[in-house]
Each structure stands twice: as structure tokens, then as C-alpha cells.
Coordinates of all heavy atoms in Angstrom, one line a residue:
V3 N 104.7 107.7 92.2 CA 104.1 107.7 93.5 C 105.1 108.0 94.6 O 106.3 107.6 94.6 CB 103.4 106.3 93.8 CG1 104.4 105.2 93.9 CG2 102.5 106.4 95.0
T4 N 104.7 108.9 95.5 CA 105.6 109.3 96.6 C 105.2 108.7 97.9 O 104.2 108.1 98.0 CB 105.6 110.8 96.8 OG1 104.3 111.2 97.2 CG2 105.8 111.5 95.4
C5 N 106.1 108.8 98.9 CA 105.8 108.3 100.2 C 104.6 109.0 100.8 O 103.9 108.4 101.6 CB 107.1 108.4 101.1 SG 108.5 107.4 100.6
Q6 N 104.4 110.2 100.5 CA 103.3 111.0 101.0 C 102.0 110.3 100.4 O 101.0 110.2 101.1 CB 103.3 112.4 100.5 CG 102.2 113.3 101.0 CD 102.2 113.4 102.5 OE1 103.1 113.7 103.2 NE2 101.0 113.0 103.1
D7 N 102.0 109.9 99.1 CA 100.8 109.2 98.6 C 100.5 108.0 99.3 O 99.4 107.6 99.6 CB 101.1 108.9 97.1 CG 101.2 110.1 96.2 OD1 100.6 111.2 96.6 OD2 101.9 110.1 95.2
I8 N 101.6 107.2 99.6 CA 101.5 106.0 100.4 C 100.8 106.2 101.7 O 99.9 105.5 102.1 CB 102.8 105.3 100.5 CG1 103.4 104.9 99.2 CG2 102.7 104.1 101.5 CD1 102.5 104.0 98.4
A9 N 101.3 107.3 102.4 CA 100.7 107.6 103.7 C 99.2 107.9 103.6 O 98.4 107.6 104.4 CB 101.5 108.8 104.3
D10 N 98.9 108.6 102.5 CA 97.5 109.0 102.3 C 96.6 107.8 101.9 O 95.4 107.7 102.3 CB 97.3 110.0 101.1 CG 97.9 111.4 101.4 OD1 98.1 111.6 102.7 OD2 98.2 112.1 100.5
F11 N 97.2 106.8 101.2 CA 96.5 105.6 100.8 C 96.4 104.6 102.0 O 95.6 103.6 101.9 CB 97.3 104.8 99.7 CG 97.0 105.3 98.3 CD1 97.9 105.2 97.3 CD2 95.8 105.9 98.0 CE1 97.7 105.6 96.0 CE2 95.5 106.4 96.7 CZ 96.5 106.2 95.8
L12 N 97.2 104.8 103.0 CA 97.4 103.7 104.0 C 96.0 103.3 104.7 O 95.8 102.1 104.8 CB 98.3 104.2 105.1 CG 99.0 103.2 106.0 CD1 99.7 102.2 105.1 CD2 100.0 103.8 106.9
G13 N 95.2 104.2 105.0 CA 93.9 103.9 105.7 C 93.1 103.0 104.7 O 92.5 102.0 105.1
S14 N 93.0 103.5 103.5 CA 92.2 102.7 102.5 C 92.8 101.4 102.2 O 92.0 100.4 102.0 CB 92.1 103.5 101.2 OG 91.6 104.8 101.4
Y15 N 94.1 101.3 102.1 CA 94.7 100.0 101.9 C 94.4 99.0 103.0 O 94.0 97.9 102.8 CB 96.3 100.2 101.8 CG 97.0 98.9 101.7 CD1 97.1 98.3 100.4 CD2 97.7 98.3 102.7 CE1 97.8 97.1 100.3 CE2 98.4 97.2 102.6 CZ 98.5 96.6 101.3 OH 99.2 95.4 101.2
H16 N 94.5 99.6 104.3 CA 94.2 98.7 105.4 C 92.7 98.3 105.4 O 92.4 97.2 105.8 CB 94.6 99.5 106.7 CG 94.7 98.6 107.9 ND1 93.6 98.4 108.7 CD2 95.7 97.8 108.3 CE1 94.0 97.5 109.7 NE2 95.2 97.1 109.4
D17 N 91.8 99.1 105.0 CA 90.4 98.8 105.0 C 90.0 97.9 103.8 O 88.9 97.4 103.7 CB 89.6 100.1 104.9 CG 89.7 100.9 106.2 OD1 90.1 100.4 107.2 OD2 89.4 102.1 106.1
G18 N 91.0 97.8 102.9 CA 90.7 97.0 101.7 C 89.8 97.7 100.7 O 89.1 97.1 99.9
T19 N 89.8 99.1 100.7 CA 88.9 99.8 99.8 C 89.6 100.4 98.6 O 89.0 101.2 97.8 CB 88.2 101.0 100.6 OG1 89.1 101.8 101.2 CG2 87.2 100.4 101.6
L20 N 90.9 100.1 98.5 CA 91.7 100.6 97.3 C 91.2 99.8 96.0 O 90.9 98.6 96.1 CB 93.2 100.4 97.5 CG 93.9 101.3 98.4 CD1 95.4 101.0 98.4 CD2 93.7 102.8 98.0
S21 N 91.2 100.5 94.9 CA 91.0 99.8 93.6 C 92.2 98.8 93.4 O 93.3 99.0 94.0 CB 90.8 100.7 92.5 OG 92.1 101.3 92.2
E22 N 92.0 97.9 92.5 CA 93.1 97.0 92.1 C 94.3 97.7 91.7 O 95.4 97.4 92.1 CB 92.6 96.0 91.1 CG 93.4 94.8 91.0 CD 92.5 93.5 91.1 OE1 91.6 93.5 91.9 OE2 92.7 92.6 90.3
A23 N 94.1 98.7 90.8 CA 95.2 99.5 90.3 C 96.0 100.2 91.4 O 97.2 100.3 91.4 CB 94.7 100.4 89.2
Q24 N 95.2 100.9 92.3 CA 95.8 101.6 93.4 C 96.6 100.7 94.2 O 97.7 101.0 94.7 CB 94.7 102.3 94.2 CG 94.1 103.5 93.5 CD 92.9 104.1 94.3 OE1 92.1 103.3 94.8 NE2 92.9 105.4 94.5
R25 N 96.1 99.5 94.5 CA 96.7 98.6 95.4 C 98.0 98.1 94.8 O 99.1 97.9 95.4 CB 95.8 97.4 95.8 CG 96.2 96.8 97.1 CD 95.2 95.7 97.5 NE 95.2 94.6 96.6 CZ 94.1 94.1 96.1 NH1 92.9 94.5 96.4 NH2 94.2 93.1 95.2
A26 N 98.0 97.9 93.5 CA 99.2 97.4 92.7 C 100.3 98.5 92.9 O 101.5 98.1 93.1 CB 98.9 97.2 91.3
V27 N 100.0 99.7 92.7 CA 100.9 100.8 92.8 C 101.5 100.9 94.3 O 102.7 101.0 94.5 CB 100.3 102.2 92.5 CG1 101.2 103.4 92.8 CG2 99.9 102.2 91.0
F28 N 100.5 100.8 95.2 CA 100.9 100.8 96.6 C 101.9 99.7 97.0 O 103.0 99.9 97.6 CB 99.6 100.6 97.4 CG 99.8 100.8 98.9 CD1 99.4 102.0 99.5 CD2 100.3 99.8 99.7 CE1 99.5 102.3 100.9 CE2 100.4 100.0 101.1 CZ 100.0 101.3 101.7
E29 N 101.6 98.5 96.5 CA 102.5 97.3 96.9 C 103.8 97.4 96.1 O 104.8 97.0 96.6 CB 101.7 96.0 96.6 CG 100.7 95.8 97.7 CD 99.8 94.6 97.5 OE1 99.8 94.1 96.3 OE2 99.0 94.3 98.4
E30 N 103.8 98.0 94.9 CA 105.0 98.2 94.2 C 105.9 99.1 94.9 O 107.1 98.9 95.0 CB 104.7 98.7 92.8 CG 105.9 98.6 91.8 CD 105.6 99.3 90.5 OE1 104.5 99.1 90.0 OE2 106.4 100.0 90.0
H31 N 105.4 100.2 95.5 CA 106.2 101.1 96.2 C 106.7 100.4 97.5 O 107.9 100.6 97.8 CB 105.3 102.4 96.6 CG 106.1 103.4 97.3 ND1 106.8 104.4 96.7 CD2 106.4 103.6 98.7 CE1 107.5 105.1 97.6 NE2 107.2 104.7 98.8
L32 N 105.9 99.7 98.2 CA 106.3 99.0 99.4 C 107.5 98.0 99.1 O 108.4 97.8 99.9 CB 105.2 98.1 100.0 CG 104.1 98.9 100.7 CD1 103.1 97.9 101.4 CD2 104.6 99.8 101.8
G33 N 107.5 97.5 97.9 CA 108.6 96.6 97.4 C 109.9 97.3 97.4 O 110.9 96.6 97.4
V34 N 109.9 98.6 97.2 CA 111.2 99.3 97.0 C 111.5 100.3 98.1 O 112.5 101.0 98.1 CB 111.3 100.0 95.6 CG1 111.2 99.0 94.5 CG2 110.1 101.1 95.5
C35 N 110.5 100.4 99.1 CA 110.7 101.5 100.1 C 110.5 101.0 101.5 O 109.4 100.9 102.0 CB 109.7 102.6 99.8 SG 109.9 104.0 100.9
P36 N 111.7 100.6 102.1 CA 111.6 100.1 103.5 C 110.9 101.0 104.5 O 110.3 100.6 105.5 CB 113.1 99.9 103.9 CG 113.8 99.9 102.6 CD 113.0 100.7 101.6
D37 N 111.1 102.4 104.3 CA 110.5 103.3 105.2 C 109.0 103.2 105.2 O 108.3 103.3 106.3 CB 110.8 104.8 104.7 CG 112.3 105.1 105.0 OD1 112.9 104.4 105.8 OD2 112.7 106.1 104.5
C38 N 108.4 103.0 104.0 CA 106.9 102.8 104.0 C 106.5 101.5 104.6 O 105.4 101.4 105.2 CB 106.4 103.0 102.6 SG 106.3 104.7 102.1
I39 N 107.3 100.5 104.4 CA 106.9 99.2 105.1 C 106.9 99.4 106.6 O 106.0 99.0 107.3 CB 108.0 98.1 104.7 CG1 107.8 97.8 103.2 CG2 107.8 96.8 105.5 CD1 108.9 96.8 102.7
A40 N 107.9 100.1 107.1 CA 108.0 100.3 108.5 C 106.8 101.2 109.0 O 106.2 100.9 110.0 CB 109.3 101.1 108.9
Y41 N 106.4 102.1 108.1 CA 105.3 103.0 108.4 C 104.0 102.2 108.5 O 103.2 102.4 109.4 CB 105.2 104.1 107.4 CG 104.2 105.1 107.7 CD1 104.3 106.0 108.8 CD2 103.0 105.2 106.9 CE1 103.4 107.0 109.0 CE2 102.1 106.2 107.2 CZ 102.2 107.1 108.2 OH 101.3 108.0 108.5
L42 N 103.8 101.3 107.5 CA 102.7 100.4 107.5 C 102.6 99.6 108.7 O 101.5 99.4 109.3 CB 102.7 99.5 106.2 CG 101.6 98.5 106.0 CD1 100.2 99.2 105.9 CD2 101.9 97.6 104.8
H43 N 103.7 99.0 109.1 CA 103.7 98.2 110.3 C 103.3 99.0 111.6 O 102.6 98.5 112.4 CB 105.1 97.5 110.5 CG 105.4 96.4 109.6 ND1 106.6 95.8 109.4 CD2 104.6 95.8 108.7 CE1 106.6 94.9 108.5 NE2 105.3 94.9 108.0
S44 N 103.9 100.2 111.7 CA 103.5 101.1 112.8 C 102.0 101.3 112.8 O 101.4 101.3 113.9 CB 104.3 102.4 112.7 OG 105.7 102.1 112.6
Y45 N 101.5 101.6 111.6 CA 100.1 101.9 111.5 C 99.2 100.7 112.0 O 98.3 100.9 112.8 CB 99.8 102.2 110.0 CG 98.4 102.6 109.7 CD1 97.9 103.9 109.9 CD2 97.5 101.6 109.3 CE1 96.6 104.2 109.6 CE2 96.2 101.9 109.0 CZ 95.7 103.2 109.2 OH 94.4 103.5 108.9
E46 N 99.6 99.5 111.5 CA 98.8 98.4 111.9 C 99.0 98.1 113.4 O 98.0 97.7 114.1 CB 99.3 97.1 111.1 CG 98.8 97.3 109.7 CD 99.2 96.1 108.8 OE1 100.2 95.4 109.1 OE2 98.6 96.0 107.7
M47 N 100.2 98.3 113.9 CA 100.4 98.1 115.4 C 99.6 99.1 116.2 O 99.0 98.8 117.2 CB 101.9 98.2 115.7 CG 102.2 97.5 117.0 SD 104.0 97.6 117.4 CE 104.7 96.8 115.9
T48 N 99.5 100.3 115.7 CA 98.7 101.4 116.4 C 97.3 101.0 116.5 O 96.6 101.1 117.5 CB 98.9 102.7 115.7 OG1 100.2 103.0 115.6 CG2 98.1 103.8 116.4
I49 N 96.7 100.4 115.4 CA 95.3 100.0 115.3 C 95.1 98.9 116.3 O 94.2 98.9 117.1 CB 94.9 99.6 113.9 CG1 94.8 100.8 113.0 CG2 93.6 98.8 113.9 CD1 94.6 100.5 111.6
K50 N 96.0 97.9 116.3 CA 95.9 96.8 117.3 C 96.0 97.2 118.7 O 95.2 96.8 119.5 CB 97.1 95.8 117.0 CG 96.8 94.7 116.0 CD 97.9 93.7 115.8 CE 97.9 93.1 114.4 NZ 99.3 92.8 114.0
L51 N 96.9 98.1 119.0 CA 97.1 98.6 120.4 C 95.8 99.5 120.8 O 95.4 99.4 121.9 CB 98.3 99.5 120.5 CG 99.6 98.7 120.5 CD1 100.8 99.6 120.6 CD2 99.7 97.8 121.7
S52 N 95.3 100.2 119.8 CA 94.1 101.0 120.1 C 93.0 100.1 120.6 O 92.2 100.4 121.5 CB 93.6 101.8 118.9 OG 94.7 102.6 118.5
K53 N 92.8 99.0 119.8 CA 91.7 98.0 120.2 C 92.0 97.4 121.5 O 91.1 97.3 122.4 CB 91.6 96.9 119.1 CG 90.9 97.4 117.9 CD 90.9 96.4 116.8 CE 90.3 97.0 115.5 NZ 90.6 96.2 114.3
T54 N 93.3 97.0 121.8 CA 93.6 96.4 123.1 C 93.4 97.4 124.2 O 92.8 97.1 125.2 CB 95.1 96.0 123.0 OG1 95.4 95.2 121.9 CG2 95.5 95.3 124.3
A55 N 93.8 98.7 124.0 CA 93.6 99.7 125.0 C 92.1 99.9 125.3 O 91.8 100.1 126.5 CB 94.3 101.0 124.5
G56 N 91.3 99.8 124.3 CA 89.9 100.0 124.5 C 89.3 98.9 125.4 O 88.5 99.2 126.2
A57 N 89.8 97.7 125.2 CA 89.4 96.6 126.0 C 89.9 96.6 127.4 O 89.4 96.0 128.3 CB 89.7 95.3 125.4
K58 N 91.0 97.3 127.6 CA 91.7 97.4 128.9 C 91.8 98.8 129.4 O 92.8 99.2 129.9 CB 93.1 96.8 128.8 CG 93.1 95.3 128.5 CD 94.5 94.8 128.4 CE 94.6 93.3 128.1 NZ 95.9 92.8 127.8
A59 N 90.7 99.5 129.3 CA 90.7 101.0 129.6 C 90.9 101.2 131.1 O 91.3 102.3 131.5 CB 89.5 101.6 129.2
Y60 N 90.8 100.1 131.9 CA 91.0 100.3 133.3 C 92.4 100.3 133.7 O 92.8 100.5 134.9 CB 90.2 99.1 134.1 CG 90.5 97.8 133.6 CD1 91.6 97.0 134.1 CD2 89.7 97.2 132.6 CE1 91.9 95.8 133.6 CE2 90.0 95.9 132.2 CZ 91.1 95.2 132.7 OH 91.3 94.0 132.2
H61 N 93.3 100.0 132.7 CA 94.8 100.2 133.0 C 95.2 101.6 132.4 O 95.3 101.7 131.2 CB 95.6 99.1 132.2 CG 95.5 97.8 132.9 ND1 95.7 96.6 132.2 CD2 95.2 97.4 134.1 CE1 95.6 95.6 133.0 NE2 95.3 96.0 134.2
P62 N 95.4 102.6 133.2 CA 95.7 103.9 132.6 C 96.9 103.9 131.7 O 96.9 104.6 130.7 CB 95.9 104.8 133.9 CG 95.3 104.0 135.0 CD 95.3 102.6 134.6
Q63 N 97.9 103.1 132.1 CA 99.1 103.1 131.3 C 98.9 102.5 129.9 O 99.6 102.9 128.9 CB 100.3 102.4 132.0 CG 100.2 100.9 132.1 CD 99.4 100.5 133.4 OE1 98.5 101.2 133.8 NE2 99.7 99.3 133.9
C64 N 97.9 101.6 129.8 CA 97.6 101.0 128.5 C 96.8 102.1 127.6 O 97.1 102.2 126.4 CB 96.8 99.8 128.6 SG 97.7 98.4 129.4
A65 N 95.9 102.8 128.3 CA 95.1 103.8 127.6 C 96.0 104.9 127.0 O 95.7 105.5 126.0 CB 94.1 104.3 128.5
N66 N 97.1 105.1 127.6 CA 98.0 106.2 127.1 C 98.9 105.8 126.0 O 99.3 106.6 125.2 CB 98.9 106.7 128.3 CG 98.2 107.5 129.3 OD1 97.1 108.0 129.0 ND2 98.7 107.5 130.5
A67 N 99.1 104.5 125.8 CA 100.1 104.0 124.8 C 99.8 104.4 123.4 O 100.6 104.9 122.7 CB 100.2 102.5 124.9
P68 N 98.5 104.2 122.9 CA 98.3 104.5 121.5 C 98.5 106.0 121.1 O 99.1 106.3 120.1 CB 96.8 104.1 121.3 CG 96.5 103.2 122.4 CD 97.4 103.7 123.6
E69 N 98.1 106.9 122.0 CA 98.3 108.3 121.7 C 99.8 108.6 121.5 O 100.2 109.3 120.6 CB 97.7 109.1 122.8 CG 97.4 110.5 122.3 CD 96.8 111.4 123.4 OE1 96.2 110.8 124.4 OE2 96.9 112.6 123.4
D70 N 100.6 108.0 122.4 CA 102.0 108.3 122.3 C 102.6 107.7 121.0 O 103.4 108.3 120.3 CB 102.8 107.6 123.5 CG 102.5 108.2 124.8 OD1 102.0 109.4 124.8 OD2 102.8 107.7 125.8
L71 N 102.1 106.5 120.6 CA 102.5 105.9 119.4 C 102.1 106.8 118.2 O 102.9 107.0 117.3 CB 101.8 104.6 119.2 CG 102.7 103.3 119.3 CD1 101.9 102.1 119.1 CD2 103.9 103.4 118.3
I72 N 100.9 107.3 118.2 CA 100.4 108.1 117.1 C 101.3 109.3 117.0 O 101.7 109.7 115.9 CB 98.9 108.4 117.3 CG1 98.1 107.2 117.1 CG2 98.5 109.5 116.3 CD1 96.7 107.3 117.6
R73 N 101.6 109.9 118.1 CA 102.5 111.1 118.1 C 103.9 110.8 117.5 O 104.4 111.5 116.7 CB 102.7 111.6 119.5 CG 101.5 112.3 120.1 CD 101.9 113.6 120.8 NE 100.7 114.2 121.3 CZ 100.2 113.9 122.5 NH1 100.8 113.1 123.3 NH2 99.1 114.4 123.0
A74 N 104.4 109.6 117.9 CA 105.7 109.2 117.4 C 105.6 109.0 115.9 O 106.6 109.4 115.2 CB 106.1 107.9 118.1
I75 N 104.5 108.4 115.4 CA 104.4 108.2 113.9 C 104.3 109.6 113.2 O 104.9 109.8 112.2 CB 103.2 107.4 113.7 CG1 103.4 105.9 114.1 CG2 102.8 107.4 112.2 CD1 102.2 105.1 114.2
I76 N 103.5 110.5 113.8 CA 103.4 111.8 113.2 C 104.7 112.5 113.2 O 105.1 113.1 112.2 CB 102.3 112.6 114.0 CG1 100.9 112.0 113.7 CG2 102.4 114.1 113.5 CD1 99.9 112.6 114.6
D77 N 105.5 112.4 114.3 CA 106.8 113.0 114.3 C 107.7 112.4 113.3 O 108.5 113.2 112.6 CB 107.4 112.8 115.7 CG 106.8 113.7 116.8 OD1 106.0 114.6 116.4 OD2 107.1 113.5 118.0
A78 N 107.7 111.1 113.2 CA 108.6 110.4 112.2 C 108.2 110.9 110.8 O 109.1 111.1 109.9 CB 108.4 108.9 112.3
R79 N 106.9 111.1 110.5 CA 106.5 111.5 109.2 C 106.9 113.0 109.0 O 107.4 113.3 107.8 CB 104.9 111.5 109.2 CG 104.4 111.4 107.8 CD 103.0 111.0 107.9 NE 102.3 111.7 106.8 CZ 100.9 111.6 106.7 NH1 100.2 110.8 107.4 NH2 100.3 112.3 105.7
K80 N 106.9 113.8 110.0 CA 107.4 115.2 109.8 C 108.8 115.2 109.4 O 109.3 116.0 108.6 CB 107.1 116.0 111.1 CG 105.7 116.5 111.2 CD 105.6 117.4 112.5 CE 104.2 117.7 112.9 NZ 104.0 117.8 114.3
R81 N 109.6 114.3 110.1 CA 111.1 114.3 109.9 C 111.4 113.9 108.5 O 112.4 114.3 107.9 CB 111.7 113.4 110.9 CG 112.0 114.1 112.2 CD 113.1 113.3 113.0 NE 112.7 112.0 113.3 CZ 111.9 111.7 114.4 NH1 111.6 112.6 115.2 NH2 111.6 110.4 114.6
S82 N 110.6 113.0 107.9 CA 110.9 112.4 106.6 C 110.4 113.3 105.4 O 110.7 113.0 104.3 CB 110.3 111.0 106.5 OG 108.9 111.1 106.4
T83 N 109.7 114.3 105.7 CA 109.2 115.2 104.6 C 110.1 116.5 104.5 O 110.8 116.8 105.4 CB 107.7 115.6 104.8 OG1 107.5 116.1 106.1 CG2 106.8 114.4 104.5
Ligands
LIG168 ZN1 108.0 105.2 100.6

């Protein structure tokens, strides 16, 4: 399993829709790959911030944060491949 696979699985992992076998592989990789742990944390934080921004859309600076974060994650991913 590669870091790219982990990135592809991430949404399903977070939604809890991975099969037991897929999740075992995913978590085994997380156990040996700090980069993917950091990526998972960024992903979860982005989701949390997106929800927060939705609730506080009257703060323009808050509404801008998630998009910047997503760009940063995409850039980081490009650099690692
Ligand atoms: Zn990895």
C-alpha cells in the first residue's frame, strides 16, 4: 500500500465505509508512516473548520480559511509525489 492509496482511502476511512480488511491495511500504514498521520489530521481539521466556517459565514476571514487549508494540503501532496 502506498501513501497515494492512503490519500484515496481517506474519505472512506473518515466516513467509516471501509471494509474491515481495508481499514486494517490503512491503520497498519498509519502505524509506520508519520506523513500519512499528519495528512489524516489535516484532513480532519479541514472538515472541522469547514463546518465551523459554515456556521460563521458572516466572518469573511473564517469563510476563507478552509479553502486556504485545502490548497495547502493539495500543495503538500503534490510535493510528496
Ligand atoms: Zn504514507
Side-chain angles (χ1 to χ4, degrees):
V3 66
T4 66
C5 294
Q6 183 61 54
D7 293 331
I8 294 303
D10 291 344
F11 276 154
L12 201 54
S14 303
Y15 177 77
H16 195 265
D17 293 342
T19 55
L20 286 183
S21 73
E22 200 126 315
Q24 285 173 316
R25 208 175 61 226
V27 169
F28 189 99
E29 285 173 350
E30 193 185 317
H31 183 90
L32 285 186
V34 297
C35 185
D37 285 348
C38 281
I39 293 173
Y41 186 68
L42 177 64
H43 287 171
S44 304
Y45 179 87
E46 289 179 339
M47 202 180 300
T48 302
I49 288 174
K50 273 184 206 148
L51 285 177
S52 300
K53 285 176 182 162
T54 307
K58 294 180 179 174
Y60 50 88
H61 288 155
Q63 70 272 30
C64 293
N66 288 336
E69 201 182 336
D70 290 348
L71 247 183
I72 290 163
R73 286 224 182 88
I75 290 167
I76 291 169
D77 286 349
R79 202 167 141 183
K80 276 183 195 151
R81 277 199 298 274
S82 69
T83 51

